[in-house]
Amino acid sequence: YVANNTIKNMEFNGLALNQVANSTIEGNVFDNIREHRGIMCSGCRYNLFTDNNFTNARNGGGILIVMYPNTVKNSYFGKGLLHGVGVSTASGTVIENNVFEDLITNDSRAGVIDLLPGARNTTIRFNTIKNAKNAVTVFDVLSPNETDFDKIEYNNFVNNTWNLYLPFGSRNKTALNNYWDSTNCSVIDSKLYDDEELGGNSGKVL
């Protein structure tokens, strides 16, 4: 249990967790973590990250989850972060009811929420993502016999360049019941980066 700490002005990870399970990390402030992540979670499973605050990271971001499922909720990811939440080689992670706003990026493809290679069955719901270049980026490519069970639903996308970004080689991605900052279908489509922008070399947002 890690709660109510202020971790700031660190050169690398603010909090590095390795193979931690069934714990709660809540009410912490991560500020000016200059490289990598506020929380690096490697080999951790079934942890709850809630009510944390992440701001200012020159080349870093909020949370990176590797290998196993965890839940990130009720947290604030604010100005000066390079990334919000990244998920890699983990199945079943839940990212819900967070606020992401005014994040920066040095990578034209990087998202506020990144589904990296090996991320599966991720649920992204009830989040507000605003003033970003790419709100949600899906880097992963499914093998031919895999089914996509990611859920991207009930999110509020506001004033982003791309609300959902599918780079070269991505598969189709279903995203239902979201608010896309408009009710105009043409405007909504203009902020979805998929096969139309890549000449058929990517999946479609369904």
Side-chain angles (χ1 to χ4, degrees):
Y1 183 70
V2 181
N4 304 319
N5 299 284
T6 296
I7 302 173
K8 62 189 300 184
N9 302 327
M10 300 285 290
E11 198 60 38
F12 203 57
N13 293 314
L15 179 64
L17 303 175
N18 186 31
Q19 298 186 18
V20 174
N22 301 303
S23 292
T24 299
I25 293 86
E26 66 175 329
N28 301 287
V29 174
F30 298 86
D31 181 63
N32 196 28
I33 309 300
R34 290 183 284 272
E35 301 286 342
H36 214 50
R37 305 288 175 144
I39 299 175
M40 174 65 183
C41 183
S42 180
C44 303
R45 64 186 77 194
Y46 311 125
N47 298 291
L48 173 63
F49 300 90
T50 184
D51 297 287
N52 297 291
N53 187 299
F54 302 83
T55 53
N56 299 315
R58 183 179 65 223
N59 290 308
I63 301 176
L64 178 60
I65 294 169
V66 181
M67 289 184 68
Y68 297 110
N70 294 271
T71 297
V72 180
K73 64 188 300 185
N74 301 335
S75 294
Y76 176 80
F77 299 81
K79 188 175 182 180
L81 294 182
L82 182 62
H83 305 284
V85 178
V87 182
S88 177
T89 60
S91 178
T93 289
V94 176
I95 304 167
E96 64 180 0
N97 202 37
N98 303 286
V99 174
F100 303 85
E101 61 179 350
D102 300 323
L103 276 74
I104 61 173
T105 180
N106 295 325
D107 183 340
S108 62
R109 301 178 304 162
V112 170
I113 299 174
D114 285 330
L115 299 186
L116 301 164
R120 296 287 188 274
N121 306 326
T122 307
T123 297
I124 302 170
R125 63 189 177 202
F126 302 118
N127 301 285
T128 295
I129 306 175
K130 61 190 296 187
N131 303 331
K133 181 175 179 59
N134 304 323
V136 177
T137 295
V138 182
F139 287 99
D140 203 22
V141 178
L142 299 176
S143 62
N145 61 343
E146 284 189 283
T147 301
D148 175 17
F149 290 110
D150 291 333
K151 294 180 180 179
I152 303 173
E153 58 188 10
Y154 303 109
N155 299 288
N156 187 20
F157 296 94
V158 180
N159 195 37
N160 304 304
T161 302
W162 300 108
N163 289 323
L164 192 54
Y165 188 99
L166 304 183
F168 183 89
S170 298
R171 293 299 185 96
N172 293 346
K173 186 62 55 179
T174 300
L176 301 175
N177 301 312
N178 298 283
Y179 175 67
W180 301 104
D181 204 20
S182 177
T183 57
N184 184 303
C185 291
S186 296
V187 173
I188 292 171
D189 185 65
S190 72
K191 293 192 173 188
L192 301 175
Y193 189 96
D194 57 9
D195 69 324
E196 290 185 15
E197 286 69 31
L198 288 170
N201 292 311
S202 179
K204 295 181 180 180
V205 179
L206 305 176

